[in-house]
Amino acid sequence: MRIWFLCKVKYAKENEQGLLKNVSEQYLVDAVSFTEAEARIYDMLGSTIRGDFQVTNISKSNFVDVFPYDDIDIWHKCKITYVVADADSGKEKKVTQYMLVTAHDVKEAYDRIHESLSNMLVTFRVPDITESPIVEVFPYEHDDEELLPPPPANLKPLSEVKAEQERRESTRAGNERGNFDDPEEAELREFNEGAE
């Protein structure tokens, strides 16, 4: 399950008249921790915002899913409610969730959230839809692993370490039996025996 973090960013934005005006914008970032959310927002916005910017706040959001459509970048916050039965007690429980969808207006957001959730097995209602101040959403992409720094040079992949351990163990077992698979070790043994 994705964890969405709401990041507030403050920077000087150029308006239509060419004047710089301080603005505060909200971005939604998919990350596993506050630290990763901060690193990702700095990385994502570093190439798009000219000049300095500051991340003023990061908080966990209550969004469970995001449905982007390519034709518009206006986000709408949709409140979804449905009823589920508790497996143990059998009592019904009302569940409320929030989701984001891009749409031109509230009516289109309503239609798109129904389209996006058409595979839900329970009947749901959409009691509230509001336009969101979120400017952009950054979901986790597999390519984002390139953002992570490379591992230190002194670390090896686990597969290499295991292969090396197995090689050492087989060599050690060969030594105990007087069997030398490794020519270097056989040569070293001959040298040591000659020195005695």
Side-chain angles (χ1 to χ4, degrees), residues 16-143:
E16 292 83 24
Q17 291 81 28
L19 301 172
L20 291 178
K21 181 183 177 187
N22 285 334
V23 293
S24 183
E25 295 180 337
Q26 294 183 24
Y27 296 87
L28 198 65
V29 178
D30 179 16
V32 294
S33 66
F34 286 90
T35 306
E36 185 191 5
E38 183 177 19
R40 288 197 66 217
I41 199 70
Y42 272 106
D43 193 68
M44 296 292 191
L45 297 180
S47 59
T48 57
I49 295 178
R50 290 190 311 178
D52 292 336
F53 65 92
Q54 182 181 12
V55 178
T56 58
N57 189 23
I58 298 176
S59 60
K60 260 187 191 177
S61 75
N62 56 0
F63 294 112
V64 294
D65 219 337
V66 172
F67 302 105
Y69 286 79
D70 293 335
D71 61 340
I72 189 74
D73 59 356
I74 300 172
W75 292 95
H76 289 78
K77 181 179 180 177
C78 303
K79 180 180 180 181
I80 311 298
T81 61
Y82 55 93
V83 176
V84 292
D86 188 298
D88 298 330
S89 66
K91 293 182 180 177
E92 290 188 340
K93 179 179 151 185
K94 183 178 178 181
V95 177
T96 301
Q97 294 181 332
Y98 293 92
M99 300 178 189
L100 274 181
V101 65
T102 54
H104 292 87
D105 54 32
V106 172
K107 183 186 180 322
E108 188 176 45
Y110 180 84
D111 294 338
R112 286 183 173 181
I113 202 71
H114 272 277
E115 177 188 327
S116 300
L117 298 176
S118 61
N119 61 348
M120 269 185 83
L121 300 175
V122 295
T123 305
F124 64 91
R125 291 182 55 243
V126 185
D128 188 33
I129 298 177
T130 56
E131 191 173 318
S132 171
I134 292 171
V135 175
E136 197 167 346
V137 173
F138 298 111
Y140 176 79
E141 302 292 339
H142 188 65
D143 298 339

